[in-house]
Amino acid sequence: MWETLNLVRVYTKPRGLAPDYSSPVVLRRGKCTVEDFCNAIHKEIAKQMKYAIVWGASAKHARGQKVGLDHVLEDEDVVHIAKK
């Protein structure tokens, strides 16, 4: 269903806690960068972001990858935002 509708589920991970798989942030494929993810949560987060750590299909490493605003997210990725 998610692939047919071209939707991507991205999960949040607060610092020191397990990822929250109960309520994903849903983005459209093609508009699923870290910046789009931040704007879906709150418009100020992208301005305050220092970097993001991503786990999942779009990350190069299983332990997480440090990325910037232009990183493209895949379905069921987990993202932690580090602020300045």
Side-chain angles (χ1 to χ4, degrees):
M1 177 177 89
W2 295 97
E3 292 174 14
T4 305
L5 295 173
N6 286 328
L7 297 176
V8 175
R9 296 166 286 185
V10 181
Y11 301 101
T12 58
K13 182 190 177 308
R15 183 185 352 225
L17 300 174
D20 180 16
Y21 292 111
S22 63
S23 56
V25 176
V26 179
L27 304 170
R28 293 213 172 270
R29 194 169 298 280
K31 284 205 164 257
C32 54
T33 63
V34 173
E35 184 174 14
D36 296 324
F37 171 77
C38 291
N39 289 332
I41 297 172
H42 193 278
K43 299 208 183 276
E44 292 296 316
I45 292 179
K47 295 175 186 173
Q48 299 171 359
M49 188 185 102
K50 185 175 183 181
Y51 61 88
I53 300 176
V54 177
W55 295 267
S58 70
K60 292 181 182 177
H61 312 290
R63 300 180 77 189
Q65 179 183 358
K66 190 186 282 190
V67 298
L69 288 172
D70 58 343
H71 180 79
V72 178
L73 300 167
E74 293 293 328
D75 191 31
E76 296 190 336
D77 278 353
V78 176
V79 178
H80 168 73
I81 304 293
K83 294 183 181 179
K84 292 180 185 175

